[in-house]
Amino acid sequence: MSSRNRRLRLYLRRITSARLRRGIRIARNELPWRLRDLFPDLVDTFSHPEDRLPPARLRRRVSKSSSREEFLMAGRCSSADVVRAFSQARLLDREYPRWLDFGCGSGRVARHILGTSVVSSLVGVDIDDTAIRWISGRLARAKFLAIDPSPPLSFPDGSFDVIYAVSVFTHLDESSATSWFHELTRALAPEGLLILTTLSPVLTFERADLVASDHARLASKGFLLARGGGPFNEDTAFATQPWLCRTMTGRLSFVSFEQHGLCRYQDLSVWRKPADEAPR
């Protein structure tokens, strides 16, 4: 880069806000995907409501791009791994008809989960009321509700047989994660299963901004939240299996932990509520 171009970039950086620069970067990266998906998105408007994908702006909220292909692939892969983990952990003499998608967004995983034979009814909840408004009424056997960023949920104790949370605890700070673990445990029926994803510490290379003290904290505590400077889903939470086990102690029983078990990327763990624990 020439000296003149370098000076120009430094000058532009001084006179523009970080928010504006971030918006420009997103627009630049998004343009190819928006052009590629322009016609399929147009055709989508004439499809059956259950077959439609969310608009590009909502797809972009849960991924690095608004790509239709990526949205479908990630949802299909996540659904398959959640169902696989459930099938391996379930008690064969018990039914699991009531499912909760915690952090459902615009239905990226739910649309595929509902296509399996293991779910009789599904409720999806998310703090993104725009996504909830879009998905509500589009998928049969499902109900979608907007929730507050903090507990409690509006459901009675023991309302669900399976609760899954994909790419939710990967963005929460330690206090929020602990609070939601407690609340999801309350909403889970005895012998019910909690299936969740977290980020392994081996993925910290994706956050080049982490400094030595961050790595030391993660190594000693087993948990680290790296702020992203934008919406909460740009924050990155790393958690170890020992941290999860310590945090869950007294709430749920450990069933399984699989590093990179979700789409060969996020860690996938399963927890069971004790049978003798009466709803509180």
Side-chain angles (χ1 to χ4, degrees):
M1 182 185 297
S2 68
S3 175
R4 180 178 180 180
N5 288 340
R6 188 179 297 108
R7 288 196 301 271
L8 178 60
R9 290 191 65 175
L10 289 174
Y11 172 72
L12 291 175
R13 188 176 183 84
R14 284 197 301 269
I15 66 173
T16 57
S17 66
R19 183 175 182 179
L20 177 60
R21 293 195 301 272
R22 175 179 173 276
I24 293 172
R25 286 196 302 271
I26 291 175
R28 182 184 61 204
N29 295 334
E30 271 290 284
L31 182 59
W33 295 112
R34 297 295 176 99
L35 293 175
R36 176 180 175 178
D37 290 335
L38 181 61
F39 182 70
D41 280 345
L42 178 62
V43 172
D44 228 14
T45 61
F46 299 98
S47 303
H48 188 279
E50 195 159 323
D51 297 328
R52 295 174 192 167
L53 294 192
R57 68 181 186 281
L58 292 183
R59 300 196 300 265
R60 172 65 179 79
R61 291 187 187 185
V62 295
S63 183
K64 294 180 180 179
S65 79
S66 63
S67 166
R68 291 173 61 91
E69 181 181 6
E70 182 179 335
F71 183 87
L72 283 170
M73 182 177 65
R76 190 178 297 115
C77 174
S78 298
S79 169
D81 284 331
V82 167
V83 171
R84 174 179 56 81
F86 161 74
S87 298
Q88 293 171 351
R90 66 173 302 174
L91 301 175
L92 296 181
D93 60 348
R94 188 190 191 282
E95 296 296 324
Y96 298 83
R98 304 167 300 169
W99 287 53
L100 174 68
D101 183 333
F102 180 69
C104 63
S106 51
R108 180 173 61 167
V109 179
R111 67 190 300 120
H112 300 285
I113 285 279
L114 286 165
T116 68
S117 61
V118 300
V119 182
S120 296
S121 66
L122 182 141
V123 176
V125 297
D126 202 286
I127 65 172
D128 187 343
D129 57 351
T130 302
I132 293 297
R133 284 197 301 271
W134 185 87
I135 191 63
S136 291
R138 292 184 183 271
L139 300 179
R141 296 184 290 121
K143 179 180 181 180
F144 297 94
L145 302 169
I147 60 171
D148 293 329
S150 300
L153 297 171
S154 61
F155 311 110
D157 296 353
S159 291
F160 301 100
D161 303 296
V162 179
I163 299 175
Y164 66 90
V166 172
S167 297
V168 178
F169 290 95
T170 53
H171 305 293
L172 299 181
D173 62 36
E174 188 172 15
S175 176
S176 294
T178 302
S179 295
W180 278 116
F181 285 149
H182 184 85
E183 177 63 4
L184 295 181
T185 299
R186 181 195 66 78
L188 197 61
E191 296 186 335
L193 298 173
L194 172 63
I195 304 170
L196 60 91
T197 69
T198 49
L199 289 180
S200 169
V202 302
L203 297 175
T204 52
F205 70 89
E206 294 188 350
R207 290 297 301 261
D209 56 324
L210 297 182
V211 297
S213 59
D214 294 322
H215 291 282
R217 176 178 174 80
L218 178 56
S220 63
K221 189 175 182 60
F223 183 92
L224 176 71
L225 180 74
R227 297 292 184 183
F232 95 98
N233 59 359
E234 292 187 2
D235 296 340
T236 309
F238 301 95
T240 63
Q241 181 182 351
W243 178 85
L244 279 170
C245 290
R246 290 195 304 270
T247 305
M248 293 294 195
T249 297
R251 295 186 176 90
L252 301 173
S253 300
F254 172 76
V255 177
S256 65
F257 181 91
E258 185 179 359
Q259 189 176 52
H260 308 315
L262 187 100
C263 300
R264 300 183 181 180
Y265 180 60
Q266 296 185 15
D267 294 347
L268 185 64
S269 61
V270 183
W271 310 80
R272 180 179 286 111
K273 187 169 182 176
D276 58 354
E277 182 175 339
R280 293 185 296 273

